[in-house]
């Protein structure tokens, strides 16, 4: 039970990670959230500051009016030349108050304060407007604006204070924030819906590709239609190329099987006829035809292996290393033969090492077997994307008239009865062609024997 429970989150996690739609929507949601939170916070600060400034400016207008209407009375007290215009100053606990305080003088306060008084901090001077919040009244937070002034005819520094409850300001800020939150939530939701639509619409071509692949798998069509957006078109093209490559390999395999069946049919017929007729040389016939069939099987197996390995894009081999390996094998097999290597030691070809060993092994072994004892192998640098490997011997060579047919299946270089080994020149030609290479025959200018030029694509 514990193992089953432990495996479930892994599956869910993989499913989430492998969904492009979820990735796009998730990243967009995260980024939209960050932007909206940051923008909302900044906008809240700006709007809150603006409302507070407007609130303070109203109080500043009142305190400026108080300063303009203030004068010193007969006994040194402060009085107004005109009553305040706002009737709330005469209503007890109305939420807006004023107070004028001077050291040693009677405090002049609005009726709205009733039996309360605003706190006065005498430790600092406020000849410039001073704004602050105060909690000096229980249950009522005040916004206070104060300024010090010296009135004509009085040496006293008077402090003018105007205070108003923050209730209205807080209500305005709360309403503003609620509206801002609702707006940002609606905007975020709209952006997420738009992102989801964009993701589904943008990834729709990939769903079409999936449908086309299903149609190919079920046999309703053989290729993906290429009317896709430019970003998807290269993928579609490569899939179609892969399908064509697979079909070509399947056709090649069918043709290969047919060729093998045809090649084995004649030897089997000969053996069957000899056995049916109770031929006295049945054993010789079986051995001869079995050798022919073995050669055909080797030929087709070599082609099949090369075709199977050809599709590897990582296939590469160093020619010099392969040539040295063959040289060591020839030195052990033919003590009277000298194989000399020359040329580029670093050049590589786009061929599997095993196939390159078989190609060079067959060609160099033929040169050692049918030559006079000397073999030259020259590895040339790549020219036009092809690496040329020249194998020369000092044997009798092959007449030019016979060179064209030497690569025919079952054809041998000589008819002296020497036992043949290796893959045969026909297979060498076939394997080289599988790797987009070629084999050419000529006459060696230095040794006078056969010159075989093996050309393979450079890695």
């Amino acid at each position: 039970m514990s193992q089953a429970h432990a495996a479930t989150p892994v599956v869910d996690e993989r499913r989430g990670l492998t969904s492009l739609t979820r990735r796009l929507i998730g990243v967009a949601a995260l980024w939209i959230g960050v932007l909206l939170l940051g923008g909302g916070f900044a906008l809240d600060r700006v709007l809150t500051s603006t409302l507070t400034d407007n609130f303070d400016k109203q109080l500043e207008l009142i305190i400026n009016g108080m300063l303009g209407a203030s004068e010193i009375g007969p006994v040194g007290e402060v009085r107004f030349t005109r009553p305040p215009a706002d009737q709330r100053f005469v209503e007890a606990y109305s939420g807006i108050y004023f107070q004028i305080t001077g050291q040693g003088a009677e405090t002049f306060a609005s009726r709205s304060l009733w039996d309360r008084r605003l706190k006065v901090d005498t430790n600092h001077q406020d000849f410039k407007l001073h704004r602050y919040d105060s909690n000096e009244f229980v249950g009522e937070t005040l916004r206070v604006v104060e300024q010090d002034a010296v009135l004509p005819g009085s040496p006293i520094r008077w402090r003018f204070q105007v205070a108003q409850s923050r209730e209205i300001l807080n209500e305005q800020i709360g309403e503003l924030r609620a509206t801002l939150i609702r707006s940002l939530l609606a905007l975020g939701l709209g952006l997420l819906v738009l992102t989801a639509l964009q993701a589904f619409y943008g990834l729709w071509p990939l769903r079409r590709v999936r449908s086309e692949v299903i149609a190919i798998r079920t046999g309703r069509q053989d290729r993906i239609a290429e009317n896709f957006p430019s970003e998807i078109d290269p993928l579609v093209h490569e899939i179609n190329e892969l399908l064509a490559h697979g079909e070509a390999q399947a056709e090649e395999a069918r043709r290969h099987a047919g060729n093998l069946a045809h090649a084995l049919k004649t030897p089997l017929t000969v053996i069957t006829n000899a056995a049916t007729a109770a031929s006295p040389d049945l054993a010789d016939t079986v051995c001869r035809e079995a050798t022919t069939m073995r050669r055909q099987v080797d030929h087709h197996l070599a082609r099949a292996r090369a075709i199977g390995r050809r599709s590897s894009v990582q296939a590469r081999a160093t020619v010099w290393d392969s040539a040295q390996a063959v040289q060591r094998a020839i030195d052990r097999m033919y003590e009277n033969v000298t194989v000399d290597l020359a040329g580029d030691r670093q050049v590589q070809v786009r061929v599997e090492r095993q196939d390159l060993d078989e190609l060079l092994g067959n060609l160099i072994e033929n040169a050692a077997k049918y030559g006079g004892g000397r073999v030259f192998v020259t590895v040339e640098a790549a020219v036009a994307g092809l690496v040329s490997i020249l194998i020369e011997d000092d044997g009798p060579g092959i007449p030019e008239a016979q060179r064209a047919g030497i690569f025919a299946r079952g054809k041998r270089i000589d008819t002296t009865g020497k036992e043949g080994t290796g893959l045969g020149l026909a297979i060498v030609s076939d394997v080289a062609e599988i790797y987009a290479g070629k084999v050419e025959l000529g006459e060696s200018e230095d040794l006078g024997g056969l010159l075989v030029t093996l050309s393979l694509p450079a890695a």
Side-chain angles (χ1 to χ4, degrees), residues 98-126:
F98 73 79
Q99 179 175 296
I100 303 174
T101 308
Q103 187 175 7
E106 183 180 356
T107 298
F108 181 31
S110 64
R111 187 181 295 272
S112 57
L113 279 173
W114 201 248
D115 58 346
R116 299 180 300 186
R117 291 294 179 266
L118 298 174
K119 291 183 179 180
V120 179
D121 186 0
T122 59
N123 295 326
H124 64 88
Q125 296 181 354
D126 291 327

Side-chain angles (χ1 to χ4, degrees), residues 379-449:
V379 182
E380 296 184 348
V383 177
L386 288 176
V387 175
S388 296
I389 307 167
L390 283 61
I391 298 97
E392 306 173 69
D393 63 59
D394 58 349
I398 299 176
E400 185 175 357
Q402 300 179 15
R403 293 173 188 168
I406 199 66
F407 294 110
R409 191 178 309 157
K411 185 71 175 179
R412 295 188 59 179
I413 292 179
D414 72 336
T415 57
T416 61
K418 293 182 179 180
E419 183 182 357
T421 59
L423 300 175
L425 287 179
I427 298 180
V428 171
S429 178
D430 287 346
V431 174
E433 289 178 359
I434 289 172
Y435 283 104
K438 59 183 178 179
V439 181
E440 298 175 322
L441 301 181
E443 184 177 348
S444 173
E445 296 181 358
D446 295 332
L447 300 181

Side-chain angles (χ1 to χ4, degrees), residues 150-415:
V150 177
L151 299 176
S154 173
I156 299 175
R157 177 169 58 87
W158 301 92
R159 176 157 297 178
F160 289 75
Q161 294 175 298
V162 178
Q164 185 173 356
S165 172
R166 284 186 58 98
E167 182 179 358
I168 297 177
L169 177 60
N170 291 337
E171 289 179 357
Q172 292 177 344
I173 293 175
E175 184 177 354
L176 171 67
R177 286 176 175 170
T179 303
L180 183 62
I181 291 174
R182 289 193 296 268
S183 300
L184 291 179
L185 287 176
L187 177 60
L189 181 60
L191 290 175
L192 285 178
V193 172
L194 180 61
T195 301
L197 291 176
Q198 184 178 13
F200 280 106
Y201 179 75
L203 296 178
W204 185 254
L206 293 179
R207 295 182 176 87
R208 281 186 54 206
V209 171
R210 179 174 179 267
S211 300
E212 298 271 341
V213 172
I214 292 175
I216 293 173
R217 179 171 55 82
T218 55
R220 297 195 301 271
Q221 61 190 56
D222 59 353
R223 291 291 186 276
I224 298 177
E226 296 191 358
N227 55 337
F228 282 89
S230 58
E231 294 81 4
I232 307 297
D233 190 64
L235 173 63
V236 172
H237 176 73
E238 291 300 326
I239 292 177
N240 285 335
E241 288 294 323
L242 181 61
L243 291 172
H245 177 71
E247 290 177 357
Q249 282 197 319
E251 179 61 30
E252 192 169 9
R254 286 192 293 268
R255 185 173 62 253
H256 194 59
N259 292 338
L260 178 59
H262 180 74
L264 297 179
K265 182 178 180 179
T266 299
L268 288 174
T269 301
V270 172
I271 293 174
T272 302
N273 291 338
T276 302
S279 175
D281 60 345
L282 178 60
D284 294 337
T285 301
V286 171
C287 291
R288 183 180 66 252
E289 298 304 325
T291 300
T292 301
M293 288 189 291
R294 185 184 63 181
R295 186 164 57 247
Q296 294 292 344
V297 170
D298 289 343
H299 173 89
H300 288 281
L301 284 178
R303 277 185 58 90
R305 286 195 301 268
I307 292 172
R309 291 191 289 257
R310 173 186 59 185
S311 59
S312 175
V313 296
Q314 304 296 334
R316 63 178 57 224
T318 303
V319 178
W320 190 269
D321 295 342
S322 184
Q324 279 189 324
V326 174
Q327 180 190 37
R328 290 191 294 267
I330 296 298
D331 288 342
R332 290 192 298 268
M333 293 171 58
Y334 301 93
E335 298 180 355
N336 60 333
V337 176
T338 301
V339 179
D340 295 322
L341 304 181
D344 195 328
R345 298 182 177 224
Q346 305 299 326
V347 67
Q348 292 183 325
V349 291
R350 195 172 305 230
V351 179
E352 286 287 344
R353 172 63 186 270
Q354 181 179 349
D355 291 331
L356 181 60
D357 288 347
E358 291 178 345
L359 291 172
L360 294 181
N362 181 77
L363 295 176
I364 297 176
E365 183 182 0
N366 282 338
K369 183 190 301 183
Y370 303 113
R374 298 192 63 189
V375 178
F376 284 173
V377 179
T378 305
V379 182
E380 296 184 348
V383 177
L386 288 176
V387 175
S388 296
I389 307 167
L390 283 61
I391 298 97
E392 306 173 69
D393 63 59
D394 58 349
I398 299 176
E400 185 175 357
Q402 300 179 15
R403 293 173 188 168
I406 199 66
F407 294 110
R409 191 178 309 157
K411 185 71 175 179
R412 295 188 59 179
I413 292 179
D414 72 336
T415 57

